[in-house]
Amino acid sequence: MAGASASLLSKTILQPFDTTRTILQASKKVRGNYNNLWECATGIVRTKGFPALYAGLMVSIAVSAPSSAIFLTAYEQAKRAVETTINTLTGFRSFETREHSREHTVGRESLAGRDVGSGKWDVDGWWTEEKRAQVRSLLLPAAPALAAVAGNVVSSIVRVPPEVVKQRVQAGQFRGFLAAVTSMWRAEGLLGFYTGYSTMVARDIPYAAIQFTTFETLKRRRERVLAARALPNPASFAGLAGSGGHGSKSVAARQLSHGELLLSNMWIGAMAGAMATIFTSPLDVLKTRVMTQEASPGQAYLGTRQMLAKVWAEEGIVAFGRGMAPRLLYKVPSSAVFLVCYEAMRRIMYTTRYATARRDE
């Protein structure tokens, strides 16, 4: 309930940035003479009224909860599968309460050398515990990126149709949601609602990969820093870095109160969102152009590659940076709220599983 309320509040406050981003990224016909956020926002209010800044808000709110739930479910399942595979290959025991142990300072025992099965990997003593820990620390950061691929491919099935409708309403092609849906269904059929599906997936996969990888990396960095400060002899915690940021006796969680942890996660989430937004802005421009293009009767819509060539030829590299300012203002706080809620729900989930496992012992 708290997560849903936070998401609703953030979307209501930030929707004008999303609307101006769409207009600034769209074609010259839609964009007009607007060159920046201020010109676009004031121009919309002057010509269409203040409510026009909230075009597509109800669509955004309606699709937010189900699409996020689908994405996070697919993401968590894929991430767990990747981590389990890495742990198995490197001889570390993988169990579902590992996140609970990390967050609540319950020690996790490295079982390298005892849980390798037949031991066939230990050829002439080369596949040592130290080597396994090094390989594991190199492979684990890839788990969020690989999981993001699965999460976005699945969730985009739900995300794309409302996004197409929303952006066309924001671009002024339709007066409202119902008019857009009715007209698009009659003129284009079901496939019309999936215009730009591949472009959106091409944008969302690197966005989520960068966002979650940055988020997880900064959290591990925070744990290492806090652990080094807490220990009288930092050298005794050398195994922390080699195990991907989780030592056999983590003290990071003891150094932060709940309020401090919340603020820290918000800052980390904001930085993760900023990194992902900056690097994927050119792809976001392409997505907007593909979704808001107006094709003549009988004319096929341009795909990602054709649109890329068209924008490059007509407007040059400058076009791929359009709308970055409002997108940052929309995505950075949204990322902070989203990832804080994600962390809270994940902690509740693992706490419940850990308590159930202890009760069943």
Side-chain angles (χ1 to χ4, degrees):
M1 188 66 183
S5 300
S7 177
L8 174 62
L9 181 61
S10 65
K11 286 188 176 297
T12 302
I13 295 173
L14 302 173
Q15 183 65 20
F17 296 125
D18 186 59
T19 301
T20 52
R21 183 262 306 186
T22 295
I23 293 175
L24 288 172
Q25 289 180 344
S27 64
K28 177 67 175 178
K29 178 182 177 180
V30 175
R31 187 173 70 252
N33 295 320
Y34 300 145
N35 294 310
N36 55 56
L37 171 60
W38 176 254
E39 289 180 358
C40 185
T42 55
I44 291 173
V45 173
R46 184 172 59 253
T47 58
K48 300 180 181 179
F50 186 77
L53 290 174
Y54 287 86
L57 174 61
M58 298 310 298
V59 181
S60 297
I61 292 174
V63 76
S64 176
S67 66
S68 296
I70 293 172
F71 169 79
L72 290 177
T73 300
Y75 174 84
E76 279 296 316
Q77 293 296 325
K79 183 168 178 280
R80 187 178 303 133
V82 173
E83 289 178 341
T84 299
T85 301
I86 293 173
N87 287 330
T88 300
L89 291 175
T90 53
F92 282 75
R93 176 176 294 175
S94 175
F95 55 97
E96 289 189 341
T97 57
R98 64 185 181 279
E99 293 294 335
H100 179 275
S101 359
R102 181 178 67 186
E103 299 292 348
H104 296 270
T105 70
V106 178
R108 179 175 58 176
E109 181 183 8
S110 166
L111 299 176
R114 281 183 275 161
D115 201 21
V116 192
S118 62
K120 61 181 179 180
W121 295 101
D122 195 7
V123 180
D124 297 328
W126 178 82
W127 193 235
T128 61
E129 180 175 350
E130 181 181 0
K131 181 68 69 175
R132 283 192 290 269
Q134 291 174 351
V135 172
R136 180 174 178 271
S137 66
L138 289 174
L139 294 178
L140 275 180
L146 294 174
V149 174
N152 277 294
V153 169
V154 175
S155 63
S156 290
I157 297 174
V158 176
R159 283 178 176 174
V160 171
E163 182 70 11
V164 175
V165 173
K166 183 197 74 172
Q167 289 212 303
R168 292 187 181 183
V169 171
Q170 289 175 331
Q173 296 176 13
F174 302 101
R175 296 188 63 180
F177 172 74
L178 291 178
V181 171
T182 303
S183 178
M184 288 172 61
W185 180 263
R186 289 174 178 171
E188 306 170 53
L190 180 62
L191 291 179
F193 293 93
Y194 283 92
T195 301
Y197 174 86
S198 60
T199 314
M200 185 161 170
V201 172
R203 180 206 66 175
D204 286 349
I205 286 177
Y207 180 90
I210 295 171
Q211 182 189 37
F212 278 90
T213 300
T214 303
F215 186 64
E216 298 291 344
T217 300
L218 291 176
K219 283 200 305 175
R220 287 196 295 269
R221 173 62 179 170
R222 178 185 65 196
E223 291 174 7
R224 286 197 295 267
V225 170
L226 291 174
R229 289 177 180 175
L231 290 174
N233 179 16
S236 66
F237 217 79
L240 186 64
S243 61
H246 313 302
S248 60
K249 188 178 291 185
S250 173
V251 295
R254 296 175 185 168
Q255 305 304 307
L256 294 176
S257 66
H258 289 297
E260 291 171 332
L261 187 61
L262 175 64
L263 289 175
S264 177
N265 282 338
M266 288 193 71
W267 276 109
I268 292 174
M271 286 187 283
M275 290 285 291
T277 298
I278 291 171
F279 281 103
T280 59
S281 278
L283 292 170
D284 192 54
V285 172
L286 281 178
K287 179 196 77 73
T288 299
R289 291 295 181 94
V290 171
M291 287 185 172
T292 59
Q293 63 182 304
E294 296 183 73
S296 303
Q299 179 185 357
Y301 283 106
L302 297 180
T304 306
R305 285 185 296 179
Q306 294 93 332
M307 185 60 74
L308 172 62
K310 183 177 186 295
V311 174
W312 180 270
E314 295 179 356
E315 303 175 52
I317 194 171
V318 176
F320 295 98
R322 294 189 189 279
M324 185 181 292
R327 187 169 183 243
L328 277 169
L329 290 171
Y330 181 83
K331 284 291 188 180
V332 169
S334 295
S335 176
V337 172
F338 172 74
L339 290 174
V340 165
C341 294
Y342 161 72
E343 276 292 288
M345 293 182 68
R346 189 172 67 165
R347 180 176 297 190
I348 293 171
M349 179 181 67
Y350 280 110
T351 300
T352 303
R353 288 181 178 177
Y354 181 78
T356 302
R358 291 292 298 270
R359 187 173 61 248
D360 293 341
E361 288 180 354

